[in-house]
Amino acid sequence: EAGVAQSPRYKIIEKRQSVAFWCNPISGHATLYWYQQILGQGPKLLIQFQNNGVVDDSQLPKDRFSAERLKGVDSTLKIQPAKLEDSAVYLCASSLVPQPPMETQYFGPGTRLLVL
Amino acid sequence: AQKITQTQPGMFVQEKEAVTLDCTYDTSDPSYGLFWYKQPSSGEMIFLIYQGSYDQQNATEGRYSLNFQKARKSANLVISASQLGDSAMYFCAMRDLSSGNTGKLIFGQGTTLQVKP
């Protein structure tokens, strides 16, 4: 079974530029998560989708970040315009169905973003 | 608010020995889940083990076991017979149920483990 796919793996941009990340979850996984992991810290949830609907985006900086999952499968996360503090690894995760507390999330390799 | 604390920024262990990585948590919910993930230098978060708050027995998965002490709110990861490939960052995480069934994971700061040959 293929894992969570993410692209690009690395991205370097200048501040105020725009950038987009793509994620394809494990086949059949209804729930998709985007996390931000700043160097030296644990991941922090940005947004959670259940199929193509947003379940939680309370920690998404909506003035510059946006995300969509139009057909309930793959998803894109966009930053416009980027700031220096957006330099981080952006991790996508998916799970079969949300069955807290035991549902396991499976993560992709992440996209490392450097904003200069 | 729910919180995960990992107090060991870095740990060393000799190959083939066992090592314990500490994790304490804080929650007022009676129902919660605790997870451990491994993050090698490649960046991917690899699921290791899960412990539910109502589970009577400590979880085990191969060389990984979870020392769950509910009264002390601790969920330490024990890795037996360490291997060089175990060198990585390890994160303890808890399922946040305070805002409904959103599934959000709260992560600790992580512990870097280095296995010495």
Side-chain angles (χ1 to χ4, degrees):
Chain A
E1 178 181 88
V4 177
Q6 289 188 248
S7 67
R9 292 296 311 277
Y10 305 91
K11 191 73 178 179
I12 300 174
I13 62 172
E14 294 187 349
K15 59 183 180 182
R16 291 187 290 273
Q17 284 187 326
S18 302
V19 65
F21 313 129
W22 175 82
C23 172
N24 191 27
I26 294 173
S27 178
H29 280 198
T31 310
L32 185 147
Y33 306 81
W34 283 102
Y35 287 85
Q36 179 192 57
Q37 185 179 17
I38 294 173
L39 186 64
Q41 299 181 16
K44 180 187 79 172
L45 180 72
L46 292 175
I47 189 168
Q48 175 189 345
F49 291 95
Q50 176 67 20
N51 295 308
N52 60 350
V54 175
V55 175
D56 184 353
D57 63 357
S58 57
Q59 297 189 98
L60 186 74
K62 297 180 185 66
D63 58 334
R64 298 182 300 105
F65 286 66
S66 63
E68 59 183 14
R69 192 185 184 198
L70 293 176
K71 296 182 179 179
V73 181
D74 55 353
S75 174
T76 56
L77 176 70
K78 297 179 182 178
I79 308 175
Q80 181 180 10
K83 292 185 175 181
L84 297 178
E85 58 262 36
D86 298 332
S87 294
V89 176
Y90 291 84
L91 294 162
C92 181
S94 70
S95 62
L96 189 57
V97 288
Q99 291 181 320
M102 66 177 289
E103 158 229 349
T104 297
Q105 297 176 23
Y106 296 91
F107 286 78
T111 295
R112 296 174 188 258
L113 173 68
L114 178 61
V115 182
L116 301 175
Chain B
Q2 299 186 329
K3 187 179 179 182
I4 292 281
T5 303
Q6 294 180 255
T7 58
Q8 305 156 313
M11 291 279 288
F12 288 92
V13 64
Q14 202 68 38
E15 191 178 10
K16 299 181 185 177
E17 291 185 348
V19 63
T20 298
L21 306 183
D22 295 341
C23 172
T24 57
Y25 59 92
D26 188 21
T27 180
S28 56
D29 289 308
S31 178
Y32 51 89
L34 296 159
F35 301 78
W36 277 92
Y37 282 85
K38 171 184 177 182
Q39 188 176 43
S41 57
S42 58
E44 185 172 352
M45 298 282 282
I46 301 168
F47 165 72
L48 295 178
I49 196 167
Y50 163 82
Q51 180 83 44
S53 60
Y54 294 120
D55 292 343
Q56 295 297 312
Q57 293 186 330
N58 288 342
T60 61
E61 288 287 348
R63 295 187 298 112
Y64 305 107
S65 61
L66 202 151
N67 184 3
F68 182 47
Q69 298 186 46
K70 196 170 182 177
R72 298 180 60 183
K73 294 189 175 179
S74 74
N76 299 339
L77 177 70
V78 180
I79 306 175
S80 62
S82 297
Q83 301 172 357
L84 296 178
D86 294 335
S87 294
M89 180 80 91
Y90 288 80
F91 288 95
C92 180
M94 178 168 59
R95 170 61 43 70
D96 177 11
L97 298 177
S98 59
S99 53
N101 290 335
T102 65
K104 178 170 66 177
L105 288 175
I106 306 296
F107 285 85
Q109 295 286 83
T111 295
T112 300
L113 176 67
Q114 292 193 36
V115 180
K116 297 190 288 186

